[in-house]
Each structure stands twice: as C-alpha cells, then as structure tokens.
Amino acid sequence: MSFVERHGLWSGEQKEAANRLRRIVEEKNLEVIRLSFPDQHGIPRGKTLIAGEAVRSLEGGCSITTTMLAKDTSHKTVFPVFTAGGGFGMKEMEGAADVLMVADPTTFRVLPWAENTGWVLCDLYFSDGRPVPFATRNLYRKVLDQLAGRGYDFVAGLEVEFHLFKLDDAHMAPEDAGQPGRPPSVSLLSHGYQYLTEQRYDLMEPALEIIRRDILALDLPLRSVEVEFGPSQCEFTFAPTVGLAPADTMVLFRSAVKQIARRHGYHATFMCRPKLPNVFASGWHLHQSLVSRADGENVFMAKETGKETGEPLSPLGRAWLAGLIEHARASTVFTTPTINGYKRYRSYSLAPDRAIWGRDNRGVMIRVLGGAGDPATRLENRIGEPAANPYLYMASQILSGLDGVDRKLDPGPSADTPYETKAALLPKSLREAVYALNDDPFFRGALGPEFVDYYVFIKNAEIERFQAEVSDWEHREYFEMF
C-alpha cells in the first residue's frame, strides 16, 4: 500500500488527476517534472525529477529537508536546527531531517517556457502521514475546511501589480554572490505616469505579450493586462476562483513571470517598492466573497426586497466586513510580510492607511462593490502587497471574517473621506505589525500558538538583520527574491 493510500491523502478528484498526469507525461514525452511546495514566504521550493521517477513518486512522496521551513527571505536558516527540537520544539524538525512532498495532481501543468518540463504543487507530510504544521498550504486547507463545515466556499479574484524592467546587467561575477547577492541593474520599459494610456501600454507590449501567452498556456484564469501609474509598472488581473485555486494561481503566476521575463532579457519583481528613482509602490488587491455550497448563491449579496434594501451587503456580508476591519492591524503581518511593504501605506495615495471601508472608494482599506440583487457583490481588500504568501493572506481573511460573523460585529458607516475618517491606523512598519499580532490573541487561537510563534520568529529575525545591515538591505533582499 502506498503512502497516499495508507493515510488517505487524495480525494477521488486527485486520483483521477493523477491518472491524467501519467497519460500527459507519456503523450507529450516529458523528460523532467518539477515538484514544488510553497514555503513560508509563498516561494516555490522543491526538486526536479526525471519524469519516470516523478511519476513513481506520486503516491510515495519525495523527500525534502525540513530546513526549507527554517529560512528567512534571504534563504538564511534562522532556526537552530541542530539543537533539540531544531528550534521548533519538535523532534521531527531537528537535525535537518526529511519530510515528504506529496504531489497534488490537480495542480499539474506543462511549462510552456521550459522544454519537455512538467510542474506540480505538493503538500508536506511527516513520515507518519501528519501534515507538517508549518506548511502554509496545509494551514490554508484547514481553514477552508472550517469554512466548508459551515456550508460556504471562499471565492477570490486577484489584482496583482508588479514591475517589469529591461535587464541590463545580471551581475553574475563570483564576487556578486551572497545572501542576498548583488541585485541586477535594470532600465525602464516606460516612463510611467500616463496611467492606462494606450501609448504606454504599447511601449511595454512586446514584453507583456511574451508573459501573457505563457500565462494563458498555463491555463491560469487571466482577465486583463494593464499598465499601471508608475514607471515600468503593470497589473495582471485574474477571474474569481474557489478555495485553494486562487492561492495556487498566485504562487505559479509570480514564479512563472520571473522565469519567463529572465529568459527574454527582462527582470520582473513583485517587491512592493523597489529602491529605484521615481518608482511607485505595487499592491495586491484581493476581491473576496462567499458562496453557499448548497445552491451556489453569493451570500454577501443583499436582497432586493425587505429590510436589506439600500444596503450594499447582506447581514452576513456586513459582519464579515466588520471582522476584516476588527483584525486589520494584526492581519497586516500576513498581508504585508516584508519591511518594504509598509512604505505603501500613505495618505492620498490610492492605498489605505487606516482600517475603514467604503462603497466603491479607492482610498479605503475595504472597497465594497455591488449591491442588492447583484451576484457579483464582493469586498476588495486593498491592504496587501504582491510579495505576500497567498495562503496566509487568504487564511487571515477567512478567519477574520468568520470572527465577525460569529460575534455579529457591525462595520459602521461607509467612510466617504477615507484619509480624514477617524479609525485605527494600519501599522507603519513590520515590527509594529508583529506587535499588533501579539496584542491580538485571536490569531494565536485561530492559527495555533505553534504557527504564530514560528512565523513571528522569522519576521523578527528579518527585522534584526535589517537594523544591523546597510541601508540598501531591502533592495538586495527583495528585488531578486520576490
């Protein structure tokens, strides 16, 4: 009996997907398959296996070292892995021991930019079949299961801003290596500022078109390609999908864009605010709603008749919104996990600086879209940065929203003057966000103290290193990594 069978790790859908995967590998004569898992930062890590070995490992798993879960954003191991418990307080995590990557066959893709190469996303398990508690895709799945137990599915659409530059010098001399190494030198594809103008789009179109074709070839639900306000800045938006799918899309999208760009002489970065003259901050807006598992109806949608008339949201939707606002400060450590990301929270900047909501207002944190009888009713959270781990970003939204529902919280009135409304300010730094998480016991209970302590330890390690190193630390740290 295989590891997957022994521990009941696959659904019927995954078993069928595994059979399709085997057929595709044979029909397309694939030579290698990349097995990847999203680490604590949402960055894919893993191994490339010869196709036959990868197929054989589907149900038995592929080993990978636990130190992958002990690294900060510069890939430095920050936990004392060779001490008792490995710094995690768990025997299984000490000594750089192995865990198993088990493929989720439903995520399988053939990579259009890499010849004869497949790709599949994996989950991490201990040898006794227990999910590794520090693996964020496992954590997000547990949160989705909680939501499903209440009769709902989470629906999310993505608006992702990033910068796309011409790669001038990759700086690949041996002396340029390090943790992190010297970032590449780049130049602009457009001067920016002419937001959504066709002229600026056409300047960037040759590079954007290369990426667009391959993203569609991956079967990701791409909706639009746009030029943003800043120089060499663009935005890709994705249609709403359910459950794990939007988070998996974000992981593959970011990795794909960086790989495709590099192969064609460009450099893409999802770093919020690169340390370059005149560059604008990038955000990641998360559109979200709930649908009933019984009938597929959007339960955020207000009814056209009755006491909800004139309200943009149903009572459940209003309580969910209130939960997002209630836990906004604590959740920023998940929605904005880098030191650099807090440079975006500025007044009068099309980015939020306080925990408020408004009806179709781009200055608030939560923009409410839709109305009575509109099945597209949703909340757009504008708080996130594009470097966020999507599993933690979305898990924080679901947990916060459910707390609002359980406590029947009220979000208060719409803030029509968002930068003048009195409300709790968002954290001004990653350190302040960590403090906010520690001051809000909700997430410690919802995510478990084991995970919260683990994540805070990594973030504090990054803060301490930032304070100890030179002023361009952010650029070196994030420009190549994200």
Side-chain angles (χ1 to χ4, degrees):
M1 183 179 290
S2 72
F3 183 81
V4 166
E5 290 175 320
R6 188 160 61 250
H7 300 290
L9 301 183
W10 280 355
S11 65
E13 180 188 10
Q14 288 172 309
K15 291 175 183 177
E16 291 178 8
N19 290 331
R20 287 197 301 273
L21 185 159
R22 295 182 182 100
R23 288 198 302 271
I24 292 170
V25 169
E26 185 175 346
E27 291 169 1
K28 294 186 176 292
N29 295 313
L30 298 186
E31 296 178 3
V32 295
I33 297 178
R34 299 180 187 177
L35 274 63
S36 296
F37 79 93
D39 74 0
Q40 53 278 16
H41 311 291
I43 302 298
R45 296 181 185 269
K47 297 182 178 181
T48 298
L49 273 61
I50 300 304
E53 288 297 321
V55 169
R56 282 189 286 275
S57 79
L58 283 178
E59 296 192 50
C62 174
S63 64
I64 193 164
T65 175
T66 51
T67 59
M68 298 295 98
L69 296 168
K71 297 184 183 297
D72 68 5
T73 48
S74 70
H75 307 276
K76 288 184 178 178
T77 299
V78 296
F79 285 84
V81 296
F82 294 106
T83 63
F88 294 83
M90 295 181 66
K91 182 69 176 176
E92 298 90 341
M93 300 296 291
E94 71 182 39
D98 280 344
V99 290
L100 286 174
M101 291 191 295
V102 176
D104 179 348
T106 64
T107 67
F108 178 71
R109 301 288 195 282
V110 177
L111 299 184
W113 65 87
E115 189 174 0
N116 299 323
T117 299
W119 179 92
V120 66
L121 204 55
C122 301
D123 294 305
L124 297 186
Y125 294 90
F126 291 125
S127 59
D128 61 2
R130 287 178 298 134
V132 176
F134 309 107
T136 56
R137 193 171 190 259
N138 291 344
L139 182 151
Y140 181 47
R141 182 185 283 108
K142 285 177 61 178
V143 172
L144 289 172
D145 288 344
Q146 292 176 35
L147 185 65
R150 295 169 179 245
Y152 304 118
D153 282 325
F154 184 70
V155 178
L158 317 179
E159 290 185 15
V160 189
E161 298 169 357
F162 64 99
H163 289 90
L164 184 61
F165 301 106
K166 182 179 181 294
L167 180 63
D168 294 329
D169 188 343
H171 296 303
M172 285 297 181
E175 58 268 26
D176 292 322
Q179 285 186 294
R182 185 182 176 189
S185 295
V186 299
S187 55
L188 301 177
L189 298 182
S190 77
H191 286 115
Y193 306 110
Q194 296 184 23
Y195 177 45
L196 289 178
T197 59
E198 187 173 323
Q199 180 181 353
R200 285 289 185 254
Y201 178 85
D202 197 64
L203 280 172
M204 295 186 68
E205 191 271 346
L208 293 173
E209 183 61 12
I210 293 168
I211 295 171
R212 183 195 68 82
R213 287 198 197 105
D214 281 353
I215 294 302
L216 287 176
L218 287 171
D219 199 30
L220 297 183
L222 183 65
R223 291 183 65 249
S224 70
V225 179
E226 304 171 16
V227 289
E228 265 296 332
F229 193 85
S232 232
Q233 189 181 38
C234 56
E235 178 182 77
F236 280 49
T237 72
F238 294 86
T241 50
V242 175
L244 280 168
D248 290 346
T249 290
M250 186 64 172
V251 166
L252 180 53
F253 171 67
R254 284 191 308 214
S255 186
V257 167
K258 292 182 75 68
Q259 293 176 52
I260 297 162
R262 193 64 172 245
R263 284 175 177 245
H264 290 87
Y266 301 101
H267 179 79
T269 181
F270 293 83
M271 177 182 181
C272 179
R273 195 179 183 92
K275 190 179 180 183
L276 295 170
N278 302 311
V279 166
F280 276 54
S282 293
W284 170 15
H285 303 161
L286 184 67
H287 293 252
Q288 59 190 279
S289 61
L290 295 184
V291 296
S292 166
R293 292 172 67 88
D295 59 16
E297 183 175 89
N298 180 348
V299 296
F300 283 4
M301 179 182 68
K303 303 299 182 181
E304 293 181 292
T305 59
K307 63 181 180 180
E308 295 177 34
T309 301
E311 290 286 348
L313 296 168
S314 68
L316 186 147
R318 283 181 58 82
W320 184 280
L321 168 61
L324 298 184
I325 293 172
E326 174 80 4
H327 299 291
R329 283 179 52 80
S331 70
T332 54
V333 76
F334 304 121
T335 67
T336 312
T338 73
I339 290 169
N340 180 270
Y342 291 84
K343 295 185 177 182
R344 180 171 160 264
Y345 297 158
R346 298 182 178 183
S347 300
Y348 304 99
S349 65
L350 288 174
D353 71 346
R354 62 200 68 194
I356 53 175
W357 73 278
R359 297 186 68 164
D360 199 6
N361 189 315
R362 286 183 168 84
V364 297
M365 187 186 90
I366 307 289
R367 179 179 172 225
V368 176
L369 296 165
D374 184 353
T377 296
R378 62 198 184 277
L379 308 178
E380 177 193 1
N381 196 338
R382 301 172 62 82
I383 196 174
E385 68 164 318
N389 180 322
Y391 304 101
L392 295 180
Y393 190 168
M394 295 184 198
S396 73
Q397 302 299 281
I398 294 171
L399 293 171
S400 297
L402 285 176
D403 187 54
V405 172
D406 289 344
R407 294 164 57 194
K408 297 181 172 58
L409 298 180
D410 188 334
S414 171
D416 298 322
T417 53
Y419 300 111
E420 300 168 17
T421 299
K422 290 184 178 181
L425 296 176
L426 298 177
K428 299 297 185 185
S429 67
L430 181 59
R431 184 177 291 282
E432 188 181 338
V434 171
Y435 287 152
L437 177 64
N438 284 328
D439 289 343
D440 185 344
F442 169 73
F443 280 114
R444 183 168 293 274
L447 294 173
E450 185 179 58
F451 180 82
V452 170
D453 288 343
Y454 157 77
Y455 193 72
V456 165
F457 186 91
I458 291 176
K459 292 297 128 184
N460 279 333
E462 293 174 10
I463 293 166
E464 289 169 10
R465 199 152 49 79
F466 169 67
Q467 292 178 327
E469 296 191 17
V470 294
S471 60
D472 69 343
W473 180 91
E474 295 166 272
H475 191 64
R476 292 186 294 112
E477 181 84 349
Y478 303 129
F479 198 63
E480 185 75 18
M481 172 72 168
F482 291 111

